Amino acid sequence: MAAVQGERVIVVRHAMPAVDPDVPAEQWQLAPESRVAARLLRLHVRHPAYYVASTEPKAAQTIQEIAGAQRVVRDAGLAEVHRPHVWFADGGYHSAALAYTRGERPDGWEPHDQVIGRFDAAVVRHAAEAVAQNRTLVIGTHGLALTVWMASRYQLATDPARFWAGLRSPDIVEIDLRAATVSCLTH
């Protein structure tokens, strides 16, 4: 893997979307009250910042709320783990996601190495651009892709399944590139 340039990266897990079982998760929009929650994360971002987000609306909208009038670049490499549109009831998604973070792969879910490869390429590319602009890189993304990628590069304080389960919507994570450490800033 190529080195990620810079001193730190701020990664934001999207705020809570308006869940609609008839719509694939990658098309969900932010719930109105979630926009306020996302705006509150501005307090954790040092400016100037270079903002980039997944192409999925919930992540892009979360970052736009943090960025305000500043431009947000979109990159499909930061999208959530690709999986079939299946509505899970009674904690089924949570169980499947935990299994995924432990290295299992439910039927039809994107292979871990593909997630890591595309996510890593996007982070390396945008970190270089942020350094060139003398800005802090702020990434808007999703819990599973983020967790799988971070576990491939950094030592997490806990196992990946616990890390993912502990993420909130929204949440903000700081990666100290010099110390190679990961910390949640909002809990």
Side-chain angles (χ1 to χ4, degrees), residues 48-62:
Y50 175 95
Y51 295 97
V52 61
S54 160
T55 53
E56 294 184 32
K58 59 188 169 274
Q61 291 166 355
T62 298

Side-chain angles (χ1 to χ4, degrees), residues 118-130:
R118 69 172 164 80
F119 202 98
D120 195 66
V123 173
V124 168
R125 183 172 52 254
H126 291 289
E129 187 60 34

